[in-house]
Amino acid sequence: MTSTLSRAIAHYPNRFDPGVLSELPEHLRETIQRRNKVLGPGYTLIYREPVEFVAGHGAHLIDRDGNDYLDAYNNVPCVGHAHPHVAEAVARQMAVVNTNTRYVQEALVDYAERLLSTFPEELSKLSIACSGSEANDLAVRVARFHTGGEGIIVTRWAYHGITREVASFSPTLGAGSPLGPNVRLIDAPDPRLVAPGSTLAEHMRQQVRGAIDDLERHGYRLAALITDCAHSSDGIFTDPPGYMQAVVEEVHAAGGVYIADEVQSGFARLGESMWGFSRHGVVPDIVTMGKPMGNGLPISGVVFRPEVSEEFGRNVRYFNTFGGSSIPVAAGAAVLDVFEKENVQQRVLENGNALRAGLREITENSPYVAEVRGAGLYVGVEIVKDRETLEPDRALTEDVINDMRDRRILISGTGTSANTLKIRPPLAFDSADVTRFLDTFAEVAKNRL
């Protein structure tokens, strides 16, 4: 059947092709047809055969027929699907009151103090919004106000959000969402790009220096470098730690600020620390957070050095009706409770190490796997046509993703060529889940890799 993929989603990893709709089971086909009639433009489904879920717990999702799927993809339910402590906290607050930040809320202050205590002491001011896109939008507004600059530097295939402003520096959105003239792109921190005799730190420094020079040549002073510390959309590059120190030095020397986008890499996702930037021994000027904060409720945050945000606060009013309101704050506080009670960071570290070790053992002799990389419970498996040339193999990547889905394990893809498996489960992922994942992946690898 002829594909009917739109230009807007043609590059989207692991997307459903609506051209095969007629081949789906009847109920699924009818629901998707109804969906297409009523939802606005731009939506897409994933997997060759989309799946509908009706329940969840921990790192597991249950479809309408009662089948258990292991979720190794969704980072939004940070501490697990339908976590009872979070659900109870939200239900209790909904039954009492939901007010916004124009009113005094002791619970909001308590939450801000608890969250800020997980950051270096230099980062001591919190603003709350509803989404990662909103958080990054506010962060860049403040950066521009503080520096007087307009220039933005991001990695080549970065994703930072969908507002008009943030989309202008999210190259992964593709040609239909053009970059701003004030935006410059640099390499993701892939050690394979480093010239012989150099280091990743020096390579990244030169990338940033070149971007700053080009911005200045075109009349743009630097406002900010913004990076996702896991480089999620670029293909998941987390190591070696430490290279960011040289990068931040260049940014500060040019009068800009460093914004750490921790939507993907924060909340102990990378295992060794609560925040991804901590692995590099740097303190950002601004940090943004999103999805995992409320375990599924819409809450996001921006943390500032006071000296960066004070002048903005004196001159620009910021208010968000739902950002900082009682119910999302109750969810955020409950998530912090779970981190403390369940020792989430240690669980991530141990199970992430076991997962990557198992994947490396399974793929060590495969001619089609270039690398297994990542940290904590954020893992990328780069699939290529040949280990020597490193030519990407998107088709094989999608075969693996869909073979795993057919065996009821959910993963996706990422990277400039969409040829890196993205393995990013809820942080409830435990040792039994690791075993199930590796056993199933070994079956798929035997046939495909």
Side-chain angles (χ1 to χ4, degrees):
M1 181 173 291
T2 302
S3 171
T4 57
L5 284 175
S6 71
R7 177 186 175 204
I9 67 168
H11 190 85
Y12 192 86
N14 184 36
R15 68 283 183 276
F16 168 65
D17 183 352
V20 301
L21 183 62
S22 62
E23 301 171 15
L24 298 180
E26 182 179 1
H27 177 81
L28 188 62
R29 181 177 69 249
E30 291 177 352
T31 302
I32 294 173
Q33 288 171 333
R34 290 170 57 204
R35 168 190 163 108
N36 292 342
K37 287 181 180 179
V38 297
L39 294 188
Y43 288 99
T44 186
L45 291 163
I46 57 174
Y47 302 111
R48 289 172 184 163
E49 182 176 333
V51 58
E52 177 184 4
F53 296 114
V54 298
H57 59 89
H60 299 257
L61 287 165
I62 311 301
D63 72 11
R64 61 182 297 111
D65 296 318
N67 298 307
D68 181 296
Y69 285 70
L70 179 60
D71 183 1
Y73 173 62
N74 289 293
N75 67 326
V76 179
C78 175
V79 295
H81 292 282
H83 194 288
H85 181 70
V86 180
E88 192 277 332
V90 170
R92 183 174 62 247
Q93 188 62 51
M94 287 185 71
V96 178
V97 69
N98 188 32
T99 59
N100 59 50
T101 54
R102 288 196 175 110
Y103 303 96
V104 177
Q105 300 177 64
E106 186 177 7
L108 170 61
V109 178
D110 290 343
Y111 176 63
E113 289 173 345
R114 289 179 69 191
L115 184 62
L116 288 170
S117 73
T118 69
F119 285 89
E121 62 181 10
E122 295 94 330
L123 293 159
S124 59
K125 294 290 185 179
L126 170 67
S127 293
I128 301 181
C130 299
S131 69
S133 296
E134 288 184 2
N136 283 327
D137 192 283
L138 176 60
V140 169
R141 285 180 66 195
V142 173
R144 284 176 166 162
F145 197 96
H146 176 69
T147 64
E150 292 286 326
I152 305 292
I153 301 174
V154 296
T155 51
R156 298 197 187 281
W157 206 237
Y159 173 76
H160 294 290
I162 57 172
T163 67
R164 180 172 181 175
E165 172 66 43
V166 180
S168 76
F169 56 85
S170 292
T172 191
L173 292 175
S177 182
L179 300 176
N182 61 317
V183 176
R184 295 296 181 273
L185 307 182
I186 61 171
D187 291 340
D190 183 349
R192 296 171 298 186
L193 300 176
V194 178
S198 187
T199 64
L200 182 59
E202 187 56 31
H203 173 76
M204 296 304 294
R205 182 195 292 274
Q206 292 303 319
Q207 288 279 306
V208 171
R209 182 68 258 165
I212 292 169
D213 288 345
D214 194 58
L215 283 168
E216 291 176 348
R217 190 175 302 119
H218 289 84
Y220 294 105
R221 180 180 176 184
L222 180 66
L225 165 78
I226 177 168
T227 67
D228 157 16
C229 291
H231 297 279
S232 312
S233 298
D234 291 284
I236 308 174
F237 295 94
T238 59
D239 294 299
Y243 67 85
M244 281 300 300
Q245 294 184 31
V247 169
V248 174
E249 287 173 5
E250 289 296 325
V251 169
H252 286 165
V257 299
Y258 166 43
I259 302 172
D261 182 340
E262 293 280 342
V263 173
Q264 298 277 353
S265 59
F267 282 88
R269 167 62 58 180
L270 303 185
E272 294 148 303
S273 57
M274 187 69 165
W275 306 108
F277 64 80
S278 299
R279 302 174 75 242
H280 297 285
V282 297
V283 178
D285 301 291
I286 304 174
V287 178
T288 60
M289 301 160 285
K291 301 175 174 72
M293 289 180 72
N295 211 53
L297 266 74
I299 179 173
S300 65
V302 189
V303 175
F304 304 96
R305 290 178 183 258
E307 62 270 26
V308 171
S309 62
E310 281 176 358
E311 192 66 20
F312 179 89
R314 281 195 290 267
N315 290 274
V316 181
R317 185 180 68 185
Y318 176 76
F319 173 73
N320 186 313
T321 303
F322 298 111
S325 59
S326 311
I327 293 171
V329 165
V335 167
L336 295 182
D337 292 342
V338 175
F339 264 79
E340 294 167 5
K341 293 176 181 177
E342 298 184 9
N343 199 5
V344 171
Q345 184 177 325
Q346 186 62 29
R347 181 168 68 206
V348 171
L349 188 61
E350 292 175 359
N351 290 312
N353 287 342
L355 180 61
R356 291 192 308 283
L359 287 167
R360 288 182 177 123
E361 182 177 354
I362 291 167
T363 61
E364 62 181 346
N365 296 317
S366 171
Y368 308 115
V369 175
E371 280 190 330
V372 175
R373 53 181 179 257
L377 285 175
Y378 212 146
V379 184
V381 181
E382 184 180 350
I383 296 180
V384 295
K385 294 182 179 179
D386 183 272
R387 266 186 170 177
E388 297 300 319
T389 65
L390 297 180
E391 181 182 354
D393 196 331
R394 176 172 180 168
L396 180 56
T397 305
E398 295 196 347
D399 285 340
V400 172
I401 291 168
N402 285 282
D403 283 0
M404 292 290 282
R405 176 254 179 266
D406 292 343
R407 290 165 173 80
R408 299 180 184 145
I409 294 185
L410 307 178
I411 59 175
S412 191
T414 187
T416 307
S417 300
N419 68 306
T420 297
L421 302 178
K422 177 163 48 172
I423 303 165
R424 183 195 56 183
L427 304 186
F429 208 72
D430 62 21
S431 59
D433 297 329
V434 171
T435 298
R436 176 179 170 184
F437 185 98
L438 292 174
D439 287 348
T440 305
F441 188 83
E443 294 175 11
V444 172
K446 184 177 180 181
N447 295 326
R448 295 286 188 182
L449 301 176

